[in-house]
Amino acid sequence: MIKYYEKEQLFKIDTPDSSYVMAVADGFLGHVYYGKRLSDYNIGYLLRTEDSPFVPSVNRRDRVSFLDAFPMEYSFGGTGDFRETCMDVINGNGQKNTELIYDSHVIYKGKKALEGLPSTWGEDCDSLDIVLKDAANDLEVTLTYSAFEGIDAVIKSVKVKNCGAHPVTLEKVMSTSIDVEDTGFEIMTMHGSWARENHIQRRDVGYGTCFVDSRRGISSHQNHPFMALVGKNADQKQGEVYAYNFIYSGSFICSAEKSQFAHIRMVMGIHPADFSWTLEPGDTFQAPEAVVVYSSEGIGCMTRTLHDLYRKHLIRSVWKDRERPVLINNWEATYFDFNIDKLLQIVKEAAANKIEMFVLDDGWFGHRDSDNSSLGDWFVDKRKLPDGLEKLSEEVKKSGMKFGLWFEPEMISEDSELYKAHPDWVIATEGKEPALAREQLVLDFSRQEVVDYLFDRMSEIIETAKLDYIKWDMNRPLTDLGSKMLPANRQGELMHRYMLGVYSLQERITSAFPELFLENCSSGGGRFDAGMLYYSPQIWCSDDTDAIERLVIQEGTLMLYPSSAMGAHVSICPNHTTGRTVPFATRANVAEAGTFGYELDITKLDDEEKAQIPKQIENHKKYYEVTAYGDYYRLASYRENGKYDAYMMVSKDKKKAYLTYVQVQAVPNSKRRRIKLDGLDAEKRYRIGDMLYAGDTLMYAGLLMPDLYGDAASVILEITEEV
Ligand code: DGJ
C-alpha cells in the first residue's frame, strides 16, 4: 500500500513487514526511513532530526553543509553533496551541475513495463511516480516505486526526460539509492570466477566507499549485481538485512559509502565508467529496475522474498509454472567430437532411461571442430549431421523426447562466412584490432540489422528443426568498445545499447515462439541475473558440475534465485573441471536443488550407475512440487564449516519438506550430527522414514542426521505431515 500525507509531504510505502518512507523537505526529496513496518500514527515525527530543523532556503549561508548531510533519496552532484551521486549530467555548456527539486507525484494501481528492458510485472501491485525537476538543465526525473501484494520488496526505476531545447549528456543514472544509519552493518556480496561463481563474502563497512562492479558488458562471474547491508549478528534466521539486486545483465556498479555522520548510502545502477547517453530535446532515458528488500528476520527471509518475487512477478515464460523436462546435454559427453551416430546412441539410451529432452550443444554448425571457428554461421555442419537438424530432431522426437539446441547468437568468429561478409558488424574501435577471447569477437548488437539477421536465422532453425528449447550461450566479455554505426558523441552508449539489442532479440524470439523453452548461459553463470530471468525461466549456473564445488556455487545462487531457475546437471567422474570423484547418488542429490538434468555420455555409464537414472528422475518429479514452488531454508553451509552442507525445501502449506544433507568430509569416530530444521510448523507432527516427530522438536532440538559412510556421502530425507 502506498500513501501520501499531504501536510507532511510524506510518502509511505508499506509491504507486509516493511515501510519505506520519503518526504519532501524544502523542495528536496529525502529518504526518511526504511525498515520494519511502522503504523501511521504521528508519522510526521520521523521528519524531526534536530530540535530546530535546518531550512536551506532560509539559511542560504550554509546550504553546502545541508546538502552534504541530507539523506537525499536521489542524490545529485555539483552543488554540495560530496557523497556518491545518483545522476551526473553535462549540459549544453559542457558544465556539470544538477539540482533535483520535487515537482509532483502520482499513486496508481498496477505497474508500467519498462520499454526495452526486463521488469517485474503484475496487477496486484501499487506504484508511485515522483517527478523531480532540474530547472537549470530542463530535466524531468521520474522515480518509480512499486510494491507487490504480499511481497516485502520495493521495486525501483528511474526515467530521465530532456524537456529543454538543447541536448544534454547523461554520464550516470543510477536506479536506486537508500540511506541507512550504520548501527553495526557488514556488507555481503558474491564474488567468483569461471567455474567458481557466486561465492558469498562478508566484510566490514568502514568509513569511505566499498563497491562491487562489472565493466565486462555482462553481469559477470566476478561480481554479482547484488549487495546487502547485513547486521553484524545477522544469519539465516535473525538480524537486519537491506538487499539490492539488479534486473539488468550488463555492466553495473553497487556501492556503499559510509559518510562522516556514519550514514551508509547504498547506490546501484548501470556502471557509469563505460556509459554516457545523449538526450536530444524531448528524448527520455530509462534506467533499469532494481529490487530492494528489507528483512528484519535475517538472510533466509530475504531469500524467500526474492524467490517469491521472481517466481510470481519476473519470469514470464509459459514454462514458469510448468514442470521442466529432465534433459541430457552432450557437451561434457562429446565436446565438438560427434556425428549423427554418436548422438543417436545417446538419444536411444537416454530415452530408455526416462530422460525427456536431448540438447545438442556447441559444434553443430559451420565447420566448428573446436572453439576457434564458425560462430555466426548458423547453418548445419553436414559432415556431422548429413541429413540436417531436421532428421536429428525427427529421431529425437520419435524416441519420445523433446529436442533442444545450443546457440551463441551474440558472437562471431573471424573464421566464418559471416565475418567475410560483414567485418563491420563486430564491436571494435577505429585503427585497432579488437582483442580476441576464446578466439571470438562480439557482434554489434546495437545495430538493428545485426539483431534482425540473427532473428531470421534463429527463427528458421527453430521452425525447421522443430526446436522445443534453446540454450543461449555468451562466452566472452565486451572490449574495444566501438560501433561503426554510432556517431562520435554516442559511442558511450554502446554497452547499454548492446544490452538493449540482446534483450530485444530474446523478446522477439520468445514472443514469436511462446512455447519455446529458453535457457540462458554465459560460460556457466557469467550472466545469471534477474534481467535474464525475465526471458528465460532457467539459467545454467556454472560449468563446474563437480557436486562439491556446486554446494558453494548453489548456496550463493539459491540465496537470490529460486531452485526452478538454477540449471544443475549430473556429470561424469572424475569431474572434468576438478578431477574429483563423487558418488553418482550424491551428484544427483546435489543437482536436485536445481532444474535437474544430465551432462554425460550415458552410453559409457556402468550398469549400476545407469540403473539409478530412472529412479533419480522419478524422485525429481516427486520433489518438484516442493522444490519449484516451496520455501528454501539453508540449515548449514559447507562453505562456512568445511565439512557438511544441509538445506530444506518446504511446501508453502508446511505439509511436505525435503532435506538434503551432504557429508562432504567423513569424520572418524564421531557422533551423529544433530541439525535444527527450519520452516516447519511447530504444532504439526511429521514422519521421516519410520519415525514420528513433533515439528517443534525438529526445529528447536534438531534431527539426528543419518550415519553416512565416506566422503561426499549424501541423503535427501522426505518429511511429511502426519495427520
Ligand atoms: C560454455 C557453456 O557454459 C557450456 O555449457 C557449453 O555450452 C560451452 N560454452 C560450449 O562452447
Side-chain angles (χ1 to χ4, degrees):
M1 188 190 292
I2 302 182
K3 287 188 198 140
Y4 177 61
Y5 294 83
E6 182 93 46
K7 189 164 107 285
E8 294 84 358
Q9 286 196 288
L10 182 142
F11 302 93
K12 183 162 181 270
I13 305 171
D14 286 329
T15 72
D17 282 320
S18 75
S19 294
Y20 188 111
V21 183
M22 295 163 281
V24 181
D26 206 25
F28 296 111
L29 183 67
H31 182 87
V32 175
Y33 172 84
Y34 186 32
K36 210 166 162 54
R37 182 158 173 170
L38 302 177
S39 67
D40 296 348
Y41 179 70
N42 194 11
I43 194 75
Y45 166 76
L46 288 176
L47 299 177
R48 288 190 71 91
T49 49
E50 309 287 337
D51 283 343
S52 49
F54 183 92
V55 181
S57 57
V58 179
N59 304 335
R60 192 165 165 263
R61 196 189 103 89
D62 282 319
R63 199 177 169 86
V64 168
S65 314
F66 167 80
L67 286 167
D68 202 21
F70 186 73
M72 202 66 77
E73 173 67 15
Y74 197 71
S75 57
F76 42 84
T79 57
D81 184 347
F82 297 102
R83 292 161 293 169
E84 198 62 41
T85 54
C86 288
M87 195 170 106
D88 291 336
V89 185
I90 304 223
N91 62 22
N93 301 320
Q95 294 163 347
K96 194 150 100 177
N97 196 0
T98 318
E99 184 164 79
L100 296 174
I101 300 295
Y102 168 80
D103 178 73
S104 59
H105 73 271
V106 46
I107 296 173
Y108 51 97
K109 269 255 146 261
K111 187 171 179 300
K112 297 173 206 152
L114 267 56
E115 210 192 318
L117 285 166
S119 56
T120 52
W121 50 269
E123 288 304 309
D124 44 347
C125 148
D126 290 318
S127 297
L128 160 69
D129 286 352
I130 302 180
V131 178
L132 309 176
K133 286 211 165 152
D134 176 359
N137 296 314
D138 256 331
L139 288 178
E140 187 179 282
V141 177
T142 306
L143 310 181
T144 298
Y145 302 80
S146 300
F148 288 98
E149 221 171 279
I151 299 212
D152 277 310
V154 178
I155 318 296
K156 294 167 73 175
S157 66
V158 175
K159 196 167 170 169
V160 185
K161 182 170 184 191
N162 181 359
C163 304
H166 305 285
V168 295
T169 302
L170 306 175
E171 290 207 311
K172 182 180 187 185
V173 185
M174 294 287 105
S175 292
T176 174
S177 173
I178 56 170
D179 220 282
V180 179
E181 196 178 326
D182 186 12
T183 49
F185 285 106
E186 290 178 347
I187 286 177
M188 182 167 68
T189 53
M190 297 204 292
H191 70 97
S193 182
W194 173 77
R196 267 192 289 113
E197 295 87 340
N198 292 345
H199 285 224
I200 298 169
Q201 95 170 329
R202 278 170 82 153
R203 60 183 136 153
D204 273 349
V205 180
Y207 285 93
T209 306
C210 317
F211 68 90
V212 287
D213 71 343
S214 162
R215 290 184 61 181
R216 296 165 189 264
I218 48 173
S219 47
S220 90
H221 301 83
Q222 287 73 13
N223 288 308
H224 202 79
F226 160 79
M227 183 183 272
L229 289 179
V230 292
K232 286 203 165 74
N233 68 335
D235 57 22
Q236 285 297 314
K237 295 170 81 144
Q238 56 158 0
E240 284 197 297
V241 178
Y242 292 92
Y244 275 178
N245 197 17
F246 205 19
I247 306 187
Y248 188 62
S249 314
S251 297
F252 73 93
I253 190 161
C254 184
S255 64
E257 179 181 7
K258 183 166 164 180
S259 70
Q260 54 186 329
F261 302 115
H263 270 243
I264 302 168
R265 176 177 286 175
M266 187 158 79
V267 171
M268 179 181 247
I270 292 180
H271 205 308
D274 298 304
F275 169 85
S276 71
W277 200 274
T278 299
L279 283 183
E280 293 295 334
D283 279 0
T284 56
F285 176 78
Q286 176 68 63
E289 251 178 30
V291 178
V292 187
V293 173
Y294 170 78
S295 156
S296 60
E297 288 168 25
I299 297 158
C301 183
M302 169 205 79
T303 295
R304 289 182 288 280
T305 296
L306 288 172
H307 287 191
D308 284 345
L309 176 71
Y310 294 160
R311 284 184 297 207
K312 286 192 200 144
H313 298 295
L314 179 64
I315 301 171
R316 263 187 338 164
S317 160
V318 294
W319 285 93
K320 177 168 95 75
D321 294 325
R322 282 193 197 161
E323 193 182 304
R324 315 285 166 70
V326 173
L327 67 83
I328 186 160
N329 176 305
N330 75 312
W331 179 240
E332 288 197 27
T334 64
Y335 296 105
F336 298 99
D337 185 17
F338 58 82
N339 57 30
I340 183 72
D341 295 337
K342 178 70 213 171
L343 298 182
L344 291 180
Q345 282 165 18
I346 295 178
V347 168
K348 192 167 155 224
E349 281 293 335
N353 285 286
K354 300 208 160 41
I355 295 176
E356 298 163 318
M357 178 157 76
F358 172 69
V359 177
L360 175 56
D361 211 279
D362 197 353
W364 58 266
F365 50 92
H367 55 275
R368 191 159 163 94
D369 294 330
S370 72
D371 58 12
N372 60 14
S373 83
S374 306
L375 290 168
D377 292 348
W378 303 109
F379 297 92
V380 75
D381 182 350
K382 294 266 174 141
R383 296 168 311 156
K384 295 180 184 171
L385 302 170
D387 297 315
L389 288 166
E390 294 81 349
K391 181 71 183 158
L392 174 61
S393 171
E394 203 182 301
E395 293 297 326
V396 172
K397 293 191 182 202
K398 244 196 254 163
S399 74
M401 290 200 288
K402 294 184 185 302
F403 180 46
L405 194 62
W406 180 96
F407 284 92
E408 194 175 356
E410 298 154 67
M411 297 295 151
I412 183 164
S413 306
E414 282 177 330
D415 178 6
S416 70
E417 296 305 315
L418 189 68
Y419 188 73
K420 274 184 214 150
H422 299 286
D424 58 317
W425 278 11
V426 304
I427 290 183
T429 52
E430 281 306 317
K432 179 189 170 290
E433 262 192 13
L436 289 166
R438 209 193 190 203
E439 207 152 335
Q440 62 199 52
L441 296 170
V442 186
L443 283 168
D444 183 355
F445 261 54
S446 74
R447 290 172 73 153
Q448 189 60 45
E449 66 210 300
V450 173
V451 173
D452 288 346
Y453 174 79
L454 267 312
F455 177 73
D456 291 344
R457 274 313 307 130
M458 292 176 78
S459 300
E460 194 194 313
I461 297 166
I462 295 167
E463 273 163 11
T464 55
K466 299 194 172 51
L467 298 186
D468 298 298
Y469 161 107
I470 281 183
K471 177 175 171 186
W472 179 310
D473 205 348
M474 196 288 187
N475 287 303
R476 61 155 289 170
L478 272 60
T479 60
D480 302 275
L481 298 177
S483 167
K484 283 258 179 320
M485 287 300 275
L486 292 170
N489 69 335
R490 287 190 176 269
Q491 291 288 330
E493 299 177 12
L494 178 57
M495 275 269 202
H496 183 58
R497 285 188 183 275
Y498 175 87
M499 222 38 258
L500 294 177
V502 172
Y503 287 146
S504 81
L505 185 54
Q506 297 215 347
E507 177 75 42
R508 281 168 74 182
I509 297 274
T510 51
S511 308
F513 304 97
E515 286 294 315
L516 184 83
F517 177 8
L518 179 65
E519 175 159 2
N520 269 291
C521 168
S522 174
S523 305
R527 211 165 54 182
F528 195 129
D529 57 59
M532 285 286 128
L533 219 47
Y534 177 76
Y535 305 96
S536 66
Q538 94 191 23
I539 305 176
W540 182 229
C541 135
S542 177
D543 278 350
D544 195 338
T545 50
D546 175 308
I548 302 305
E549 290 297 307
R550 274 286 181 135
L551 291 175
V552 179
I553 296 169
Q554 294 186 177
E555 180 190 351
T557 307
L558 288 172
M559 183 169 78
L560 307 186
Y561 306 102
S563 148
S564 61
M566 185 175 75
H569 299 166
V570 178
S571 67
I572 206 73
C573 277
N575 182 268
H576 289 187
T577 314
T578 60
R580 187 181 280 138
T581 295
V582 168
F584 196 66
T586 293
R587 282 178 257 160
N589 284 345
V590 172
E592 290 290 4
T595 66
F596 193 67
Y598 294 85
E599 183 144 347
L600 42 72
D601 187 347
I602 192 170
T603 65
K604 291 190 181 144
L605 282 187
D606 64 36
D607 289 346
E608 200 193 318
E609 288 182 341
K610 208 185 296 173
Q612 295 181 45
I613 292 180
K615 184 68 190 160
Q616 289 172 350
I617 295 176
E618 196 186 310
N619 282 340
H620 171 71
K621 293 184 176 297
K622 192 170 65 166
Y623 305 151
Y624 193 78
E625 276 297 303
V626 178
T627 51
Y629 309 113
D631 287 328
Y632 164 79
Y633 291 85
R634 163 91 11 209
L635 307 179
S637 159
Y638 158 62
R639 172 184 58 84
E640 284 172 355
N641 64 39
K643 291 199 168 61
Y644 61 100
D645 210 59
Y647 46 88
M648 283 171 77
M649 307 283 187
V650 184
S651 67
K652 290 273 178 196
D653 60 9
K654 298 186 183 294
K655 289 182 177 202
K656 183 80 137 193
Y658 293 99
L659 183 159
T660 305
Y661 171 63
V662 183
Q663 169 178 285
V664 178
Q665 252 186 52
V667 180
N669 186 26
S670 55
K671 300 277 181 224
R672 282 166 66 189
R673 216 165 249 136
R674 193 187 287 275
I675 292 186
K676 290 180 183 165
L677 311 198
D678 203 354
L680 300 175
D681 184 337
E683 310 282 308
K684 286 193 195 320
R685 300 279 174 271
Y686 291 96
R687 173 176 293 281
I688 306 176
D690 299 338
M691 294 278 291
L692 286 178
Y693 304 85
D696 55 9
T697 310
L698 291 172
M699 292 197 293
Y700 311 148
L703 174 73
L704 282 176
M705 291 296 110
D707 197 8
L708 302 178
Y709 184 69
D711 286 348
S714 68
V715 66
I716 297 184
L717 298 176
E718 183 170 274
I719 304 170
T720 317
E721 182 191 7
E722 185 80 3
V723 276

Short mmCIF file of all heavy atoms in Angstrom, two decimals, residues 490-516:
data_model
loop_
_atom_site.label_atom_id
_atom_site.label_comp_id
_atom_site.label_asym_id
_atom_site.label_seq_id
_atom_site.Cartn_x
_atom_site.Cartn_y
_atom_site.Cartn_z
N ARG A 490 28.05 9.52 -29.45
CA ARG A 490 27.17 8.48 -28.89
C ARG A 490 27.89 7.15 -28.68
O ARG A 490 27.25 6.14 -28.37
CB ARG A 490 25.95 8.28 -29.80
CG ARG A 490 24.96 9.42 -29.72
CD ARG A 490 23.67 9.09 -30.42
NE ARG A 490 22.69 10.15 -30.26
CZ ARG A 490 21.79 10.20 -29.27
NH1 ARG A 490 21.76 9.25 -28.36
NH2 ARG A 490 20.93 11.19 -29.19
N GLN A 491 29.21 7.12 -28.87
CA GLN A 491 29.93 5.85 -28.69
C GLN A 491 29.79 5.33 -27.25
O GLN A 491 29.79 4.12 -27.02
CB GLN A 491 31.42 6.01 -29.04
CG GLN A 491 31.68 6.23 -30.52
CD GLN A 491 31.47 4.97 -31.38
OE1 GLN A 491 31.66 3.86 -30.92
NE2 GLN A 491 31.06 5.17 -32.63
N GLY A 492 29.63 6.25 -26.32
CA GLY A 492 29.49 5.85 -24.91
C GLY A 492 28.19 5.13 -24.62
O GLY A 492 27.97 4.60 -23.53
N GLU A 493 27.32 5.08 -25.61
CA GLU A 493 26.02 4.41 -25.43
C GLU A 493 26.09 2.93 -25.79
O GLU A 493 25.14 2.18 -25.59
CB GLU A 493 24.96 5.11 -26.30
CG GLU A 493 24.79 6.57 -25.91
CD GLU A 493 23.80 7.34 -26.79
OE1 GLU A 493 23.07 6.71 -27.55
OE2 GLU A 493 23.79 8.58 -26.67
N LEU A 494 27.24 2.53 -26.37
CA LEU A 494 27.32 1.19 -26.96
C LEU A 494 27.01 0.06 -25.98
O LEU A 494 26.22 -0.83 -26.28
CB LEU A 494 28.70 0.98 -27.60
CG LEU A 494 28.93 -0.40 -28.21
CD1 LEU A 494 27.89 -0.72 -29.28
CD2 LEU A 494 30.33 -0.49 -28.81
N MET A 495 27.64 0.08 -24.81
CA MET A 495 27.45 -1.02 -23.83
C MET A 495 25.96 -1.23 -23.54
O MET A 495 25.47 -2.35 -23.52
CB MET A 495 28.14 -0.67 -22.52
CG MET A 495 29.59 -1.00 -22.47
SD MET A 495 29.83 -2.67 -21.82
CE MET A 495 31.50 -2.58 -21.25
N HIS A 496 25.27 -0.13 -23.26
CA HIS A 496 23.86 -0.27 -22.89
C HIS A 496 23.01 -0.61 -24.13
O HIS A 496 22.10 -1.43 -24.06
CB HIS A 496 23.36 1.00 -22.22
CG HIS A 496 21.94 0.91 -21.75
ND1 HIS A 496 21.50 -0.06 -20.87
CD2 HIS A 496 20.84 1.64 -22.08
CE1 HIS A 496 20.19 0.09 -20.66
NE2 HIS A 496 19.77 1.10 -21.40
N ARG A 497 23.33 0.01 -25.25
CA ARG A 497 22.60 -0.30 -26.49
C ARG A 497 22.78 -1.77 -26.86
O ARG A 497 21.88 -2.41 -27.38
CB ARG A 497 23.05 0.59 -27.64
CG ARG A 497 22.53 2.00 -27.54
CD ARG A 497 22.82 2.81 -28.80
NE ARG A 497 22.36 4.17 -28.63
CZ ARG A 497 21.11 4.56 -28.88
NH1 ARG A 497 20.21 3.70 -29.33
NH2 ARG A 497 20.76 5.83 -28.67
N TYR A 498 23.98 -2.29 -26.61
CA TYR A 498 24.25 -3.72 -26.86
C TYR A 498 23.25 -4.56 -26.05
O TYR A 498 22.61 -5.48 -26.55
CB TYR A 498 25.69 -4.06 -26.45
CG TYR A 498 26.02 -5.52 -26.55
CD1 TYR A 498 26.46 -6.06 -27.74
CD2 TYR A 498 25.87 -6.37 -25.45
CE1 TYR A 498 26.75 -7.42 -27.84
CE2 TYR A 498 26.15 -7.72 -25.55
CZ TYR A 498 26.60 -8.24 -26.74
OH TYR A 498 26.87 -9.58 -26.83
N MET A 499 23.15 -4.21 -24.76
CA MET A 499 22.25 -4.96 -23.87
C MET A 499 20.81 -4.85 -24.35
O MET A 499 20.06 -5.83 -24.35
CB MET A 499 22.40 -4.37 -22.47
CG MET A 499 22.46 -5.34 -21.33
SD MET A 499 23.35 -6.84 -21.59
CE MET A 499 22.03 -7.98 -21.86
N LEU A 500 20.42 -3.65 -24.80
CA LEU A 500 19.05 -3.48 -25.30
C LEU A 500 18.82 -4.36 -26.55
O LEU A 500 17.74 -4.91 -26.74
CB LEU A 500 18.78 -2.01 -25.65
CG LEU A 500 18.77 -1.04 -24.46
CD1 LEU A 500 18.56 0.40 -24.94
CD2 LEU A 500 17.69 -1.40 -23.44
N GLY A 501 19.88 -4.50 -27.37
CA GLY A 501 19.79 -5.35 -28.55
C GLY A 501 19.60 -6.81 -28.16
O GLY A 501 18.79 -7.54 -28.75
N VAL A 502 20.36 -7.25 -27.16
CA VAL A 502 20.23 -8.64 -26.69
C VAL A 502 18.81 -8.86 -26.15
O VAL A 502 18.15 -9.85 -26.48
CB VAL A 502 21.28 -8.94 -25.60
CG1 VAL A 502 21.04 -10.31 -24.97
CG2 VAL A 502 22.69 -8.87 -26.19
N TYR A 503 18.37 -7.92 -25.33
CA TYR A 503 17.02 -8.07 -24.78
C TYR A 503 15.97 -8.10 -25.90
O TYR A 503 15.01 -8.86 -25.85
CB TYR A 503 16.70 -6.92 -23.82
CG TYR A 503 17.41 -6.99 -22.47
CD1 TYR A 503 17.81 -5.82 -21.81
CD2 TYR A 503 17.66 -8.20 -21.85
CE1 TYR A 503 18.44 -5.87 -20.58
CE2 TYR A 503 18.30 -8.26 -20.61
CZ TYR A 503 18.68 -7.09 -19.98
OH TYR A 503 19.29 -7.14 -18.75
N SER A 504 16.17 -7.24 -26.92
CA SER A 504 15.15 -7.18 -27.97
C SER A 504 15.11 -8.50 -28.73
O SER A 504 14.04 -8.97 -29.11
CB SER A 504 15.37 -5.99 -28.90
OG SER A 504 16.35 -6.30 -29.86
N LEU A 505 16.27 -9.13 -28.94
CA LEU A 505 16.25 -10.41 -29.66
C LEU A 505 15.60 -11.50 -28.80
O LEU A 505 14.80 -12.30 -29.29
CB LEU A 505 17.67 -10.83 -30.08
CG LEU A 505 17.74 -12.08 -30.95
CD1 LEU A 505 16.85 -11.98 -32.19
CD2 LEU A 505 19.18 -12.38 -31.38
N GLN A 506 15.89 -11.50 -27.51
CA GLN A 506 15.25 -12.51 -26.65
C GLN A 506 13.75 -12.26 -26.59
O GLN A 506 12.94 -13.19 -26.57
CB GLN A 506 15.88 -12.49 -25.25
CG GLN A 506 17.36 -12.87 -25.29
CD GLN A 506 17.87 -13.66 -24.09
OE1 GLN A 506 17.21 -13.78 -23.08
NE2 GLN A 506 19.06 -14.23 -24.23
N GLU A 507 13.36 -11.01 -26.58
CA GLU A 507 11.94 -10.65 -26.56
C GLU A 507 11.25 -11.15 -27.84
O GLU A 507 10.19 -11.76 -27.81
CB GLU A 507 11.82 -9.12 -26.45
CG GLU A 507 10.42 -8.56 -26.47
CD GLU A 507 9.67 -8.79 -25.17
OE1 GLU A 507 10.28 -8.62 -24.09
OE2 GLU A 507 8.47 -9.13 -25.23
N ARG A 508 11.90 -10.88 -28.99
CA ARG A 508 11.29 -11.26 -30.26
C ARG A 508 11.20 -12.78 -30.39
O ARG A 508 10.18 -13.30 -30.85
CB ARG A 508 12.10 -10.68 -31.42
CG ARG A 508 11.79 -9.21 -31.63
CD ARG A 508 12.79 -8.57 -32.57
NE ARG A 508 12.60 -8.96 -33.96
CZ ARG A 508 13.40 -8.54 -34.95
NH1 ARG A 508 14.41 -7.73 -34.69
NH2 ARG A 508 13.16 -8.91 -36.19
N ILE A 509 12.26 -13.45 -30.01
CA ILE A 509 12.25 -14.92 -30.13
C ILE A 509 11.18 -15.53 -29.22
O ILE A 509 10.40 -16.38 -29.63
CB ILE A 509 13.64 -15.51 -29.76
CG1 ILE A 509 14.73 -15.02 -30.72
CG2 ILE A 509 13.61 -17.03 -29.65
CD1 ILE A 509 14.91 -15.82 -31.98
N THR A 510 11.15 -15.06 -27.97
CA THR A 510 10.19 -15.68 -27.05
C THR A 510 8.74 -15.27 -27.38
O THR A 510 7.81 -16.01 -27.08
CB THR A 510 10.51 -15.35 -25.57
OG1 THR A 510 10.67 -13.93 -25.45
CG2 THR A 510 11.77 -16.03 -25.10
N SER A 511 8.56 -14.12 -28.02
CA SER A 511 7.20 -13.74 -28.42
C SER A 511 6.78 -14.50 -29.67
O SER A 511 5.63 -14.94 -29.78
CB SER A 511 7.10 -12.25 -28.74
OG SER A 511 7.60 -11.50 -27.69
N ALA A 512 7.71 -14.66 -30.60
CA ALA A 512 7.36 -15.37 -31.85
C ALA A 512 7.14 -16.86 -31.58
O ALA A 512 6.36 -17.50 -32.27
CB ALA A 512 8.45 -15.17 -32.88
N PHE A 513 7.84 -17.39 -30.57
CA PHE A 513 7.73 -18.83 -30.27
C PHE A 513 7.45 -19.00 -28.78
O PHE A 513 8.32 -19.41 -28.00
CB PHE A 513 9.03 -19.56 -30.65
CG PHE A 513 9.42 -19.35 -32.08
CD1 PHE A 513 10.35 -18.38 -32.44
CD2 PHE A 513 8.82 -20.10 -33.09
CE1 PHE A 513 10.69 -18.17 -33.77
CE2 PHE A 513 9.15 -19.90 -34.42
CZ PHE A 513 10.09 -18.93 -34.76
N PRO A 514 6.23 -18.67 -28.37
CA PRO A 514 5.95 -18.65 -26.93
C PRO A 514 6.14 -19.98 -26.23
O PRO A 514 6.41 -20.02 -25.04
CB PRO A 514 4.49 -18.18 -26.85
CG PRO A 514 3.95 -18.24 -28.22
CD PRO A 514 5.09 -18.25 -29.18
N GLU A 515 6.02 -21.07 -26.97
CA GLU A 515 6.19 -22.39 -26.33
C GLU A 515 7.67 -22.77 -26.18
O GLU A 515 8.00 -23.73 -25.49
CB GLU A 515 5.49 -23.48 -27.16
CG GLU A 515 3.98 -23.44 -27.05
CD GLU A 515 3.50 -23.80 -25.64
OE1 GLU A 515 4.00 -24.77 -25.07
OE2 GLU A 515 2.62 -23.09 -25.11
N LEU A 516 8.53 -22.04 -26.87
CA LEU A 516 9.96 -22.36 -26.83
C LEU A 516 10.50 -22.14 -25.41
O LEU A 516 10.20 -21.13 -24.78
CB LEU A 516 10.72 -21.45 -27.80
CG LEU A 516 12.20 -21.74 -27.93
CD1 LEU A 516 12.43 -22.88 -28.91
CD2 LEU A 516 12.95 -20.50 -28.41
#
